[in-house]
Amino acid sequence: DWGWLRILGSGNVRMRGDLASWNGLGPQPTFPGIPGATLVAHDVLGGLFAINDGGLPGDLGGVHHLVPGRFEWVSLEVTYAGLLEWALTGDLEGFYGRNRWSGWQRDVLVLMGDQGIHRVAAERPTGRCRPISPRHVVQMTELFSLLQEPPRL
């Protein structure tokens, strides 16, 4: 999907780290890991996909998605094999459609696998936030920390 969704594996020249280091393992962890879950994929906007190892609600072995800014894991009701099938043949446009912008393919294609896009948000009069331009390229680890911290009151 032009690099929008990144399935973690053995790593390569376009993506620092491997499955183990993205889960906080090894001598040089890329990411601190998720207690009770195994991170298996992430998307360019900072969404995370993890297998439930007992730390998330729902069935063990099920894949969950953490939407940036929602602060809750949502079960996708699939196994890892189901996630891979969806990533290769599923409706990614339908899943991500409203989060994409004109020319997103060009913007995403040039990114390294450990880079993402942080969209600055503006607050609406209703108190809800909406994405606005500009979009900034950042390291995925920085994007995760920016998006996964609940707002301070």
Side-chain angles (χ1 to χ4, degrees):
D1 197 28
W2 301 86
W4 187 280
L5 179 63
R6 293 87 177 259
I7 304 295
L8 301 175
S10 62
N12 67 34
V13 295
R14 293 193 42 87
M15 184 170 191
R16 185 174 55 94
D18 58 17
L19 182 64
S21 69
W22 280 95
N23 281 284
L25 303 172
Q28 295 181 318
T30 304
F31 185 67
I34 301 162
T38 301
L39 181 64
V40 292
H42 59 75
D43 63 47
V44 73
L45 297 180
L48 303 176
F49 295 83
I51 298 172
N52 182 14
D53 296 335
L56 303 175
D59 294 335
L60 288 177
V63 175
H64 287 62
H65 181 225
L66 182 64
V67 179
R70 283 197 49 202
F71 316 114
E72 68 178 294
W73 289 95
V74 177
S75 174
L76 297 180
E77 300 181 4
V78 297
T79 63
Y80 180 67
L83 175 71
L84 293 178
E85 180 180 356
W86 171 77
L88 296 171
T89 65
D91 184 14
L92 294 176
E93 184 62 38
F95 188 78
Y96 286 114
R98 68 179 203 181
N99 292 304
R100 293 179 170 176
W101 55 92
S102 177
W104 67 266
Q105 297 96 330
R106 179 185 61 252
D107 294 345
V108 171
L109 188 60
V110 299
L111 297 177
M112 300 297 279
D114 55 1
Q115 292 179 314
I117 296 177
H118 181 238
R119 298 183 307 169
V120 179
E123 191 169 312
R124 295 179 180 173
T126 62
R128 300 176 88 189
C129 288
R130 67 176 173 81
I132 62 169
S133 289
R135 293 175 285 273
H136 302 282
V137 174
V138 296
Q139 290 300 116
M140 289 306 298
T141 51
E142 179 183 355
L143 184 58
F144 296 151
S145 67
L146 289 169
L147 297 174
Q148 305 310 328
E149 292 179 10
R152 292 181 174 85
L153 298 177

